[in-house]
Amino acid sequence: MKQITKDTLLDVIKTYVESKESNKKPMLIWFQSNDDIDNARRAIREIKGCCEANQHPLYGHEHFIDNEGKVKKIADHPELTTKFIYPGRYDENVRFFMYHRYVEQLLDDHIEYVKELAEKTQKPLVMLINDYSKEENPMFDASPFEEYLL
């Protein structure tokens, strides 16, 4: 795991996003403080081309969770397809996705969703995770990620 600081965070992310490595792993940054993660999230949002991947309570590209909490197939709701496949402000200017959820951050369905989103769009993925969530989900496998600790 690589150490970074508040001062180097944005430069590390920009370098990662601009890297042309075709097989690069998604970036996962562990935060030890809620204030640090909140400040980082606000700053990263300002990087040109950032799109938040967690603006909808969805998982996967085949399903979504409706307002009543029921899982439904996107294929059964064609009017929603473009709205949900690329959440948030997705357009041709998106350079990378940022992921952070306050609760259930490491829930398998959410992690699979953002990884699939990045793979399908061929856009880099930057995940911001509170380190205490490792205790809530001790089985989380971080091996598919380039890990950093702030």
Side-chain angles (χ1 to χ4, degrees):
M1 191 176 316
K2 300 172 185 169
Q3 285 282 147
I4 55 177
T5 67
K6 295 175 199 175
D7 295 332
T8 61
L9 174 68
L10 294 181
D11 289 334
V12 169
I13 290 173
K14 287 175 185 175
T15 299
Y16 166 75
V17 169
E18 292 166 3
S19 166
K20 301 296 182 208
E21 241 179 88
S22 61
N23 61 346
K24 66 181 164 188
K25 294 180 174 185
M27 174 185 267
L28 186 151
I29 306 170
W30 297 103
F31 287 81
Q32 299 175 26
S33 145
N34 287 333
D35 287 341
D36 285 345
I37 202 167
D38 288 341
N39 291 333
R41 198 177 76 254
R42 283 189 286 275
I44 294 166
R45 266 193 223 140
E46 298 302 316
I47 297 174
K48 186 176 180 180
C50 176
C51 182
E52 291 188 65
N54 59 319
Q55 294 176 341
H56 296 289
L58 309 179
Y59 66 92
H61 288 288
E62 295 179 7
H63 298 88
F64 71 98
I65 300 173
D66 70 9
N67 292 336
E68 297 171 4
K70 295 180 181 165
V71 176
K72 295 189 176 179
K73 285 187 173 184
I74 289 176
D76 294 339
H77 298 273
E79 74 281 6
L80 302 178
T81 302
T82 57
K83 179 178 178 183
F84 288 122
I85 292 294
Y86 305 116
R89 312 177 308 225
Y90 187 85
D91 63 23
E92 67 278 357
N93 298 314
V94 168
R95 294 174 47 217
F96 72 102
F97 289 102
M98 176 178 66
Y99 169 82
H100 174 67
R101 287 182 66 94
Y102 285 103
V103 294
E104 301 175 331
Q105 300 173 69
L106 296 179
L107 191 67
D108 290 342
D109 290 340
H110 296 288
I111 299 299
E112 289 307 312
Y113 169 68
V114 294
K115 282 173 41 184
E116 182 181 341
L117 182 65
E119 289 168 13
K120 186 174 179 106
T121 62
Q122 295 295 296
K123 304 289 183 185
L125 171 61
V126 177
M127 297 176 57
L128 313 179
I129 306 291
N130 298 78
D131 67 349
Y132 62 74
S133 63
K134 286 187 273 187
E135 296 169 15
E136 297 166 3
N137 192 342
M139 302 305 287
F140 175 71
D141 177 15
S143 65
F145 300 94
E146 182 80 27
E147 288 185 277
Y148 294 83
L149 177 64
L150 182 110

